[in-house]
Amino acid sequence: MLSLRPNCECCDRDLPPANRDAMICTFECTFCADCAENRLGGVCPNCSGELVRRPVRPAAMLVKYPASTERVLKPQVCAGGEAA
């Protein structure tokens, strides 16, 4: 099950579960659409995987399976640094 991380790893923008601008890779690294497109060229800086739109979990399922509250922030990776 997707964790639905709450923020962009590059710019720390809030990405609530219903946000359609959240992009993820197969490891669930999470970025806003702006960073994914303009900073990362659609490629995850952590694993080199493709970034695709994160699906939206239906509201009724969010009650039973809530989104993660753990924020991940790696701005150095988005600026061309190495993955941590």
Side-chain angles (χ1 to χ4, degrees):
M1 173 161 330
L2 294 176
S3 63
L4 303 178
R5 294 179 185 167
N7 67 305
C8 174
E9 289 184 25
C10 283
C11 69
D12 202 28
R13 176 181 166 194
D14 288 339
L15 296 170
N19 190 304
R20 295 192 177 272
D21 288 331
M23 307 292 284
I24 61 171
C25 71
T26 60
F27 291 98
E28 292 190 66
C29 300
T30 305
F31 305 94
C32 67
D34 184 53
C35 287
E37 294 169 21
N38 299 317
R39 292 172 121 182
L40 305 173
V43 177
C44 178
N46 300 313
C47 70
S48 299
E50 178 184 17
L51 293 172
V52 298
R53 189 177 72 80
R54 179 179 74 188
V56 173
R57 186 170 297 155
M61 290 289 102
L62 274 172
V63 173
K64 187 172 181 179
Y65 303 103
S68 174
T69 58
E70 180 182 348
R71 297 181 83 83
V72 176
L73 186 60
K74 300 179 183 178
Q76 71 283 2
V77 174
C78 299
E82 298 211 6

PDB file of all heavy atoms in Angstrom, residues 57-81:
ATOM      1  N   ARG A  57      -6.018   8.243  -3.185  1.00  0.00           N
ATOM      2  CA  ARG A  57      -6.765   7.237  -2.416  1.00  0.00           C
ATOM      3  C   ARG A  57      -8.148   7.807  -2.111  1.00  0.00           C
ATOM      4  O   ARG A  57      -8.279   8.938  -1.641  1.00  0.00           O
ATOM      5  CB  ARG A  57      -6.026   6.929  -1.115  1.00  0.00           C
ATOM      6  CG  ARG A  57      -6.659   5.789  -0.317  1.00  0.00           C
ATOM      7  CD  ARG A  57      -5.773   5.353   0.830  1.00  0.00           C
ATOM      8  NE  ARG A  57      -4.528   4.823   0.303  1.00  0.00           N
ATOM      9  CZ  ARG A  57      -3.381   4.803   0.985  1.00  0.00           C
ATOM     10  NH1 ARG A  57      -3.321   5.263   2.206  1.00  0.00           N
ATOM     11  NH2 ARG A  57      -2.292   4.316   0.422  1.00  0.00           N
ATOM     12  N   PRO A  58      -9.204   7.044  -2.350  1.00  0.00           N
ATOM     13  CA  PRO A  58     -10.554   7.528  -2.048  1.00  0.00           C
ATOM     14  C   PRO A  58     -10.680   7.927  -0.570  1.00  0.00           C
ATOM     15  O   PRO A  58     -10.095   7.287   0.309  1.00  0.00           O
ATOM     16  CB  PRO A  58     -11.451   6.331  -2.362  1.00  0.00           C
ATOM     17  CG  PRO A  58     -10.665   5.509  -3.336  1.00  0.00           C
ATOM     18  CD  PRO A  58      -9.218   5.701  -2.936  1.00  0.00           C
ATOM     19  N   ALA A  59     -11.436   8.981  -0.331  1.00  0.00           N
ATOM     20  CA  ALA A  59     -11.585   9.523   1.023  1.00  0.00           C
ATOM     21  C   ALA A  59     -12.017   8.462   2.035  1.00  0.00           C
ATOM     22  O   ALA A  59     -11.514   8.431   3.161  1.00  0.00           O
ATOM     23  CB  ALA A  59     -12.569  10.684   1.015  1.00  0.00           C
ATOM     24  N   ALA A  60     -12.924   7.602   1.657  1.00  0.00           N
ATOM     25  CA  ALA A  60     -13.394   6.555   2.573  1.00  0.00           C
ATOM     26  C   ALA A  60     -12.257   5.600   2.968  1.00  0.00           C
ATOM     27  O   ALA A  60     -12.206   5.127   4.100  1.00  0.00           O
ATOM     28  CB  ALA A  60     -14.533   5.768   1.947  1.00  0.00           C
ATOM     29  N   MET A  61     -11.333   5.375   2.056  1.00  0.00           N
ATOM     30  CA  MET A  61     -10.208   4.489   2.348  1.00  0.00           C
ATOM     31  C   MET A  61      -9.130   5.195   3.166  1.00  0.00           C
ATOM     32  O   MET A  61      -8.370   4.543   3.878  1.00  0.00           O
ATOM     33  CB  MET A  61      -9.597   3.960   1.051  1.00  0.00           C
ATOM     34  CG  MET A  61     -10.482   2.961   0.316  1.00  0.00           C
ATOM     35  SD  MET A  61     -10.584   1.364   1.185  1.00  0.00           S
ATOM     36  CE  MET A  61     -12.174   1.481   1.980  1.00  0.00           C
ATOM     37  N   LEU A  62      -9.071   6.527   3.077  1.00  0.00           N
ATOM     38  CA  LEU A  62      -8.118   7.272   3.901  1.00  0.00           C
ATOM     39  C   LEU A  62      -8.437   7.146   5.381  1.00  0.00           C
ATOM     40  O   LEU A  62      -7.537   7.189   6.224  1.00  0.00           O
ATOM     41  CB  LEU A  62      -8.113   8.752   3.515  1.00  0.00           C
ATOM     42  CG  LEU A  62      -7.203   9.134   2.375  1.00  0.00           C
ATOM     43  CD1 LEU A  62      -7.449  10.577   1.973  1.00  0.00           C
ATOM     44  CD2 LEU A  62      -5.747   8.917   2.726  1.00  0.00           C
ATOM     45  N   VAL A  63      -9.699   6.972   5.705  1.00  0.00           N
ATOM     46  CA  VAL A  63     -10.094   6.786   7.100  1.00  0.00           C
ATOM     47  C   VAL A  63      -9.511   5.481   7.630  1.00  0.00           C
ATOM     48  O   VAL A  63      -8.910   5.437   8.704  1.00  0.00           O
ATOM     49  CB  VAL A  63     -11.634   6.805   7.250  1.00  0.00           C
ATOM     50  CG1 VAL A  63     -12.051   6.452   8.659  1.00  0.00           C
ATOM     51  CG2 VAL A  63     -12.180   8.152   6.837  1.00  0.00           C
ATOM     52  N   LYS A  64      -9.617   4.436   6.841  1.00  0.00           N
ATOM     53  CA  LYS A  64      -9.128   3.115   7.251  1.00  0.00           C
ATOM     54  C   LYS A  64      -7.614   2.991   7.069  1.00  0.00           C
ATOM     55  O   LYS A  64      -6.935   2.349   7.865  1.00  0.00           O
ATOM     56  CB  LYS A  64      -9.845   2.030   6.444  1.00  0.00           C
ATOM     57  CG  LYS A  64      -9.533   0.629   6.901  1.00  0.00           C
ATOM     58  CD  LYS A  64     -10.402  -0.388   6.197  1.00  0.00           C
ATOM     59  CE  LYS A  64     -10.099  -1.783   6.693  1.00  0.00           C
ATOM     60  NZ  LYS A  64     -10.938  -2.792   6.059  1.00  0.00           N
ATOM     61  N   TYR A  65      -7.090   3.605   6.013  1.00  0.00           N
ATOM     62  CA  TYR A  65      -5.673   3.535   5.678  1.00  0.00           C
ATOM     63  C   TYR A  65      -5.127   4.957   5.505  1.00  0.00           C
ATOM     64  O   TYR A  65      -5.005   5.456   4.391  1.00  0.00           O
ATOM     65  CB  TYR A  65      -5.459   2.744   4.387  1.00  0.00           C
ATOM     66  CG  TYR A  65      -6.026   1.355   4.444  1.00  0.00           C
ATOM     67  CD1 TYR A  65      -7.232   1.045   3.801  1.00  0.00           C
ATOM     68  CD2 TYR A  65      -5.382   0.343   5.151  1.00  0.00           C
ATOM     69  CE1 TYR A  65      -7.762  -0.233   3.850  1.00  0.00           C
ATOM     70  CE2 TYR A  65      -5.907  -0.946   5.207  1.00  0.00           C
ATOM     71  CZ  TYR A  65      -7.096  -1.219   4.555  1.00  0.00           C
ATOM     72  OH  TYR A  65      -7.619  -2.483   4.599  1.00  0.00           O
ATOM     73  N   PRO A  66      -4.819   5.649   6.592  1.00  0.00           N
ATOM     74  CA  PRO A  66      -4.398   7.051   6.517  1.00  0.00           C
ATOM     75  C   PRO A  66      -3.039   7.239   5.826  1.00  0.00           C
ATOM     76  O   PRO A  66      -2.213   6.324   5.788  1.00  0.00           O
ATOM     77  CB  PRO A  66      -4.320   7.488   7.980  1.00  0.00           C
ATOM     78  CG  PRO A  66      -4.230   6.241   8.768  1.00  0.00           C
ATOM     79  CD  PRO A  66      -4.859   5.145   7.959  1.00  0.00           C
ATOM     80  N   ALA A  67      -2.867   8.429   5.297  1.00  0.00           N
ATOM     81  CA  ALA A  67      -1.607   8.792   4.649  1.00  0.00           C
ATOM     82  C   ALA A  67      -0.512   8.960   5.700  1.00  0.00           C
ATOM     83  O   ALA A  67      -0.780   9.220   6.868  1.00  0.00           O
ATOM     84  CB  ALA A  67      -1.796  10.089   3.875  1.00  0.00           C
ATOM     85  N   SER A  68       0.717   8.827   5.260  1.00  0.00           N
ATOM     86  CA  SER A  68       1.871   9.022   6.132  1.00  0.00           C
ATOM     87  C   SER A  68       1.950  10.476   6.593  1.00  0.00           C
ATOM     88  O   SER A  68       1.539  11.393   5.880  1.00  0.00           O
ATOM     89  CB  SER A  68       3.150   8.661   5.375  1.00  0.00           C
ATOM     90  OG  SER A  68       4.287   8.976   6.145  1.00  0.00           O
ATOM     91  N   THR A  69       2.497  10.685   7.764  1.00  0.00           N
ATOM     92  CA  THR A  69       2.754  12.040   8.263  1.00  0.00           C
ATOM     93  C   THR A  69       4.260  12.310   8.315  1.00  0.00           C
ATOM     94  O   THR A  69       4.683  13.402   8.672  1.00  0.00           O
ATOM     95  CB  THR A  69       2.151  12.247   9.665  1.00  0.00           C
ATOM     96  OG1 THR A  69       2.703  11.273  10.550  1.00  0.00           O
ATOM     97  CG2 THR A  69       0.633  12.122   9.622  1.00  0.00           C
ATOM     98  N   GLU A  70       5.055  11.321   7.947  1.00  0.00           N
ATOM     99  CA  GLU A  70       6.515  11.451   7.985  1.00  0.00           C
ATOM    100  C   GLU A  70       7.006  12.248   6.776  1.00  0.00           C
ATOM    101  O   GLU A  70       6.827  11.839   5.638  1.00  0.00           O
ATOM    102  CB  GLU A  70       7.187  10.081   7.992  1.00  0.00           C
ATOM    103  CG  GLU A  70       8.682  10.161   8.040  1.00  0.00           C
ATOM    104  CD  GLU A  70       9.359   8.802   8.009  1.00  0.00           C
ATOM    105  OE1 GLU A  70       8.677   7.782   8.179  1.00  0.00           O
ATOM    106  OE2 GLU A  70      10.573   8.778   7.790  1.00  0.00           O
ATOM    107  N   ARG A  71       7.625  13.380   7.059  1.00  0.00           N
ATOM    108  CA  ARG A  71       8.148  14.245   6.000  1.00  0.00           C
ATOM    109  C   ARG A  71       9.572  13.816   5.648  1.00  0.00           C
ATOM    110  O   ARG A  71      10.385  13.565   6.541  1.00  0.00           O
ATOM    111  CB  ARG A  71       8.121  15.707   6.435  1.00  0.00           C
ATOM    112  CG  ARG A  71       6.689  16.201   6.677  1.00  0.00           C
ATOM    113  CD  ARG A  71       6.646  17.646   7.090  1.00  0.00           C
ATOM    114  NE  ARG A  71       6.696  18.550   5.964  1.00  0.00           N
ATOM    115  CZ  ARG A  71       5.638  18.911   5.231  1.00  0.00           C
ATOM    116  NH1 ARG A  71       4.440  18.420   5.507  1.00  0.00           N
ATOM    117  NH2 ARG A  71       5.767  19.746   4.224  1.00  0.00           N
ATOM    118  N   VAL A  72       9.859  13.738   4.360  1.00  0.00           N
ATOM    119  CA  VAL A  72      11.192  13.430   3.859  1.00  0.00           C
ATOM    120  C   VAL A  72      11.642  14.643   3.057  1.00  0.00           C
ATOM    121  O   VAL A  72      10.925  15.110   2.178  1.00  0.00           O
ATOM    122  CB  VAL A  72      11.172  12.169   2.961  1.00  0.00           C
ATOM    123  CG1 VAL A  72      12.532  11.913   2.358  1.00  0.00           C
ATOM    124  CG2 VAL A  72      10.675  10.957   3.745  1.00  0.00           C
ATOM    125  N   LEU A  73      12.821  15.165   3.362  1.00  0.00           N
ATOM    126  CA  LEU A  73      13.328  16.334   2.675  1.00  0.00           C
ATOM    127  C   LEU A  73      14.789  16.105   2.319  1.00  0.00           C
ATOM    128  O   LEU A  73      15.610  15.847   3.202  1.00  0.00           O
ATOM    129  CB  LEU A  73      13.167  17.584   3.546  1.00  0.00           C
ATOM    130  CG  LEU A  73      13.527  18.909   2.913  1.00  0.00           C
ATOM    131  CD1 LEU A  73      12.670  19.177   1.680  1.00  0.00           C
ATOM    132  CD2 LEU A  73      13.370  20.040   3.917  1.00  0.00           C
ATOM    133  N   LYS A  74      15.108  16.153   1.028  1.00  0.00           N
ATOM    134  CA  LYS A  74      16.473  15.957   0.539  1.00  0.00           C
ATOM    135  C   LYS A  74      16.800  17.008  -0.520  1.00  0.00           C
ATOM    136  O   LYS A  74      17.065  16.678  -1.674  1.00  0.00           O
ATOM    137  CB  LYS A  74      16.626  14.569  -0.056  1.00  0.00           C
ATOM    138  CG  LYS A  74      16.368  13.426   0.889  1.00  0.00           C
ATOM    139  CD  LYS A  74      16.516  12.113   0.173  1.00  0.00           C
ATOM    140  CE  LYS A  74      16.191  10.944   1.067  1.00  0.00           C
ATOM    141  NZ  LYS A  74      16.300   9.666   0.338  1.00  0.00           N
ATOM    142  N   PRO A  75      16.807  18.291  -0.169  1.00  0.00           N
ATOM    143  CA  PRO A  75      17.037  19.318  -1.179  1.00  0.00           C
ATOM    144  C   PRO A  75      18.394  19.217  -1.867  1.00  0.00           C
ATOM    145  O   PRO A  75      18.536  19.600  -3.016  1.00  0.00           O
ATOM    146  CB  PRO A  75      16.899  20.625  -0.401  1.00  0.00           C
ATOM    147  CG  PRO A  75      17.145  20.258   1.017  1.00  0.00           C
ATOM    148  CD  PRO A  75      16.666  18.837   1.167  1.00  0.00           C
ATOM    149  N   GLN A  76      19.398  18.645  -1.194  1.00  0.00           N
ATOM    150  CA  GLN A  76      20.717  18.494  -1.787  1.00  0.00           C
ATOM    151  C   GLN A  76      20.680  17.550  -2.988  1.00  0.00           C
ATOM    152  O   GLN A  76      21.394  17.753  -3.966  1.00  0.00           O
ATOM    153  CB  GLN A  76      21.754  18.032  -0.760  1.00  0.00           C
ATOM    154  CG  GLN A  76      21.613  16.591  -0.299  1.00  0.00           C
ATOM    155  CD  GLN A  76      20.511  16.303   0.716  1.00  0.00           C
ATOM    156  OE1 GLN A  76      19.755  17.187   1.099  1.00  0.00           O
ATOM    157  NE2 GLN A  76      20.407  15.074   1.151  1.00  0.00           N
ATOM    158  N   VAL A  77      19.834  16.553  -2.959  1.00  0.00           N
ATOM    159  CA  VAL A  77      19.694  15.615  -4.073  1.00  0.00           C
ATOM    160  C   VAL A  77      19.098  16.318  -5.281  1.00  0.00           C
ATOM    161  O   VAL A  77      19.503  16.111  -6.415  1.00  0.00           O
ATOM    162  CB  VAL A  77      18.840  14.394  -3.655  1.00  0.00           C
ATOM    163  CG1 VAL A  77      18.560  13.489  -4.834  1.00  0.00           C
ATOM    164  CG2 VAL A  77      19.537  13.618  -2.553  1.00  0.00           C
ATOM    165  N   CYS A  78      18.152  17.187  -5.035  1.00  0.00           N
ATOM    166  CA  CYS A  78      17.476  17.898  -6.115  1.00  0.00           C
ATOM    167  C   CYS A  78      18.358  18.980  -6.715  1.00  0.00           C
ATOM    168  O   CYS A  78      18.123  19.442  -7.829  1.00  0.00           O
ATOM    169  CB  CYS A  78      16.167  18.502  -5.610  1.00  0.00           C
ATOM    170  SG  CYS A  78      15.049  17.235  -5.035  1.00  0.00           S
ATOM    171  N   ALA A  79      19.383  19.381  -5.990  1.00  0.00           N
ATOM    172  CA  ALA A  79      20.304  20.393  -6.487  1.00  0.00           C
ATOM    173  C   ALA A  79      21.502  19.757  -7.181  1.00  0.00           C
ATOM    174  O   ALA A  79      22.456  20.430  -7.514  1.00  0.00           O
ATOM    175  CB  ALA A  79      20.771  21.269  -5.337  1.00  0.00           C
ATOM    176  N   GLY A  80      21.448  18.424  -7.363  1.00  0.00           N
ATOM    177  CA  GLY A  80      22.529  17.746  -8.059  1.00  0.00           C
ATOM    178  C   GLY A  80      23.497  17.022  -7.152  1.00  0.00           C
ATOM    179  O   GLY A  80      24.505  16.503  -7.597  1.00  0.00           O
ATOM    180  N   GLY A  81      23.162  16.932  -5.849  1.00  0.00           N
ATOM    181  CA  GLY A  81      24.010  16.205  -4.915  1.00  0.00           C
ATOM    182  C   GLY A  81      23.749  14.721  -4.984  1.00  0.00           C
ATOM    183  O   GLY A  81      22.982  14.246  -5.819  1.00  0.00           O
TER     184      GLY A  81
END
